Amino acid sequence: MTAIQPLADPSVVEAALDEGAHEQWRALEDEVAADPARLGRVFPAAARKTGRGPLPGADGVLLEDAVRVSLVRSAARSLDPEALLAELREVYRYGDSDEKRAVLHALNGADDELDGTDLLLDALRTNDTRLVAAAMGPHSDRLDADAWRQGVLKCLFTGVPVSSVTGLARRADRELAEMVQRYQREREAAGRDVPLDVQVVLDACAASPEQNRQKDS
Amino acid sequence: MRIFDPHIHMTSRTTDDYEAMHAAGVRALVEPAFWLGQPRTSVGSFTDYFDALVGWERFRAAQFGIAHHCTIALNPKEANDPRCAEVLDVLPRYLAKDGVVAVGEVGFDSMTVEEEKAFVRQLELAVEFELPAMVHTPHRDKEQGTRRTLELVTESGLAPGMVVVDHLNEVTVDQVDDAGCWMGFSIYPDTKMDEHRMVAILQRRGLDRVLVNSAADWGRSDPLKTAKTGAAMLEAGFSADDVDRVLWRNPIEFFGQSGRLLVDPDLTDDAGADADSSPDSSATFEGNSILRGSRD
Ligand SMILES: [Zn+2]
């Protein structure tokens, strides 16, 4: 069994679904709980059977993401981390963008034994801002320093708010500051606006323990 | 004028096209899986393409306020290459996706045995997945190809109302009409079919079961042909409601049969042909209120 945190409180999801959709949701959860290998089968149809759109009462969460993460939770109850990861890789590989994003959200709520770094790196190679944002959530603690810094820079480039980056205050360091300053100089030299988030990242770099640790050494 | 282009290959088009389409009123489209101009040589080439249709291209369209749907199939031309035929085995995976509103483009290119085999198999998949089918008719010997197409549709058991036979002209329209299938017309900048001939066909046989598309792709084509056909209809005395019927409500009715649309069917004509309208995602459910589901 592997623990996955829900993306939204189940009662909030429930409140957003009408009776028919609620029944469908329960049926999908039961199906996956009985046979976790069904995850890839139920994932594509999950949104059209329940609903989609911003979830009232859960800031920034989409209903379809919350439902799909709940299905991963159901499957995870009878799978060890390795088996769950194998399922998630399959679902991600053959998923559309919504399904891929839901897998990333599930990883963000996964316990320490699960390592989906390869999926994060895949998402960070895309230019789909919804995937990039999800890939820089809590599971991005798994990324090594180089990949994580590139991820932050990609957020600045593609307009993903850095508020969605996990661990910015903790991991920002001198090297990230230098990368971001070079990016800033390039924008200024071209006479272009510098995104406000550039200063947010630079401030985080200046204040972070990483920065001070490097200075000391 | 709100427009749903039921057949356009956006993968081959630029962001300028997306902007111009949005300004002309296009708020939704269907991109059928088809030939890329350069023949594919492996199944992997298809799966990457299908992934783009349900992934990157959908995202790209959303940036311009356009809801992107697609159809998935092994196209007739490449059905002739044994290296590609195995793609039939991976289709079910994609036919299960949201926004996949039909099996297509299927049909005939050169009327070979291999083409017919793939066509029949994919009509079976349409029945199995309860999806409409989009059928391409050959550019050469169109009349004979259309006749054989309709025979196979009848044999498949797929309801005629679940089938659109595309790229029709004056010679092929009546047999498709009589069969009860939907009639697709691709309006090209050259002589194959233009907006004025389209208007004449609408005047003759009415607006029922007609889909008008630009079929724009990597060849010489015009992604605004839907809007231009709407203008030609108005000029010929059709009402704005008639135009809305052909360019919006008909495609919604046909593809709505899939249960997979990602656009609000009642989307209001927020901007019409207003060039100042700023692209946003208001055309889609994203960023909008919850769309309830519980269909299957
Ligand atoms: Zn086409």
Side-chain angles (χ1 to χ4, degrees):
Chain A
M1 111 137 242
T2 313
I4 301 283
Q5 297 301 315
L7 189 57
D9 192 280
S11 66
V12 171
V13 177
E14 207 178 311
L17 299 174
D18 63 20
E19 202 179 322
H22 187 237
E23 266 170 39
Q24 293 273 11
W25 181 36
R26 278 284 116 78
L28 293 174
E29 283 196 324
D30 291 348
E31 186 176 345
V32 176
D35 179 6
R38 298 286 298 167
L39 187 65
R41 288 300 198 85
V42 303
F43 232 58
R48 60 182 182 267
K49 287 187 172 182
T50 57
R52 70 173 78 242
L55 180 56
D59 200 26
V61 174
L62 295 173
L63 172 61
E64 63 267 37
D65 292 357
V67 165
R68 286 198 172 105
V69 171
S70 85
L71 298 176
V72 175
R73 266 163 68 79
S74 296
R77 285 196 193 98
S78 55
L79 293 174
D80 61 37
E82 210 168 307
L84 176 61
L85 194 57
E87 282 296 328
L88 290 179
R89 285 197 174 113
E90 278 288 293
V91 170
Y92 182 95
R93 164 63 190 87
Y94 294 105
D96 63 20
S97 302
D98 287 354
E99 295 173 79
K100 284 181 160 68
R101 189 182 61 236
V103 169
L104 298 173
H105 283 309
L107 288 173
N108 282 331
D111 62 22
D112 290 342
E113 291 158 282
L114 212 64
D115 184 357
T117 304
D118 53 331
L119 301 185
L120 299 192
L121 292 174
D122 181 276
L124 289 171
R125 282 192 295 271
T126 73
N127 272 9
D128 186 326
T129 48
R130 300 162 307 177
L131 294 179
V132 171
M136 291 305 283
H139 204 66
S140 69
D141 279 348
R142 291 267 176 186
L143 296 175
D144 66 29
D146 285 335
W148 183 82
R149 289 188 205 104
Q150 289 292 341
V152 176
L153 199 57
K154 182 138 193 178
C155 287
L156 293 175
F157 259 90
T158 56
V160 171
V162 292
S163 58
S164 61
V165 173
T166 295
L168 188 63
R170 176 166 39 86
R171 297 187 77 180
D173 60 8
R174 183 180 302 173
E175 195 163 337
L176 178 63
E178 286 166 2
M179 289 163 72
V180 171
Q181 279 158 357
R182 286 193 291 271
Y183 168 61
Q184 182 176 15
R185 278 200 298 276
E186 222 178 287
R187 298 281 299 205
E188 284 167 353
R192 300 176 66 195
D193 290 345
V194 176
L196 292 175
D197 268 352
V198 162
Q199 198 52 51
V200 174
V201 176
L202 290 177
D203 289 348
C205 293
S208 89
E210 280 290 322
Q211 173 84 343
N212 297 327
R213 190 176 58 74
Q214 282 185 9
K215 268 187 210 153
D216 296 343
S217 62
Chain B
M1 197 187 290
R2 53 179 184 173
I3 298 172
F4 187 133
D5 192 334
H7 186 148
I8 182 165
H9 301 281
M10 292 312 298
T11 305
S12 307
R13 309 298 309 190
T14 65
T15 51
D16 284 359
D17 290 332
Y18 269 125
E19 277 172 8
M21 288 163 66
H22 187 274
V26 177
R27 295 292 180 274
L29 58 83
V30 169
E31 172 155 11
F34 202 57
W35 187 50
L36 288 179
Q38 174 69 35
R40 298 179 180 89
T41 59
S42 71
V43 172
S45 178
F46 277 92
T47 52
D48 287 344
Y49 173 65
F50 296 155
D51 286 337
L53 292 182
V54 299
W56 176 241
E57 202 57 44
R58 192 180 290 175
F59 174 76
R60 213 163 75 97
Q63 306 309 297
F64 297 92
I66 295 176
H68 183 280
H69 309 84
C70 68
T71 74
I72 295 284
L74 168 60
N75 64 77
K77 201 183 283 271
E78 286 169 319
N80 290 302
D81 187 333
R83 293 172 298 181
C84 297
E86 281 170 34
V87 78
L88 290 173
D89 300 333
V90 306
L91 294 181
R93 190 172 263 152
Y94 292 96
L95 295 177
K97 303 294 182 204
D98 283 340
V100 175
V101 293
V103 176
E105 299 179 50
V106 294
F108 288 114
D109 179 59
S110 306
M111 307 280 294
T112 64
V113 176
E114 289 76 16
E115 286 173 19
E116 181 157 322
K117 210 172 121 194
F119 188 6
V120 168
R121 172 67 192 127
Q122 295 184 97
L123 288 173
E124 287 169 11
L125 286 172
V127 172
E128 183 185 336
F129 283 84
E130 298 176 18
L131 285 172
M134 180 188 284
V135 184
H136 166 95
T137 51
H139 298 297
R140 306 172 299 273
D141 200 1
K142 196 178 273 291
E143 195 176 4
Q144 184 56 27
T146 306
R147 183 166 304 123
R148 184 65 187 141
T149 288
L150 293 171
E151 285 169 14
L152 292 177
V153 165
T154 306
E155 286 168 23
S156 75
L158 194 59
M162 288 284 275
V163 177
V164 59
V165 183
D166 216 330
H167 315 310
L168 297 181
N169 58 26
E170 290 84 353
V171 175
T172 49
V173 56
D174 289 333
Q175 48 175 322
V176 177
D177 198 353
D178 294 344
C181 294
W182 285 69
M183 289 149 278
F185 296 90
S186 303
I187 315 300
Y188 295 100
D190 56 27
T191 53
K192 276 183 212 161
M193 173 55 68
D194 66 34
E195 49 266 50
H196 302 289
R197 283 161 59 202
M198 185 68 241
V199 167
I201 291 172
L202 291 170
Q203 283 167 332
R204 179 169 69 77
R205 53 107 21 231
L207 314 179
D208 268 6
R209 288 182 285 120
V210 170
L211 301 181
V212 172
N213 63 69
S214 70
D217 57 13
W218 32 256
R220 190 162 173 270
S221 46
D222 177 358
L224 302 184
K225 278 294 184 190
T226 48
K228 289 171 185 170
T229 302
M233 283 178 71
L234 292 173
E235 225 171 88
F238 282 103
S239 70
D241 188 69
D242 291 335
V243 174
D244 187 66
R245 167 112 188 262
V246 172
L247 295 184
W248 184 265
R249 302 197 308 267
N250 277 359
I252 291 278
E253 182 184 344
F254 179 71
F255 291 112
Q257 299 182 99
S258 69
R260 311 273 189 90
L261 286 180
L262 299 173
V263 68
D264 181 355
D266 302 321
L267 174 78
T268 48
D269 186 6
D270 61 338
D274 174 6
D276 295 334
S277 67
S278 62
D280 58 37
S281 59
S282 63
T284 70
F285 285 111
E286 299 204 21
N288 217 324
S289 58
I290 281 188
L291 164 69
R292 293 194 192 280
S294 68
R295 281 171 304 206
D296 52 15

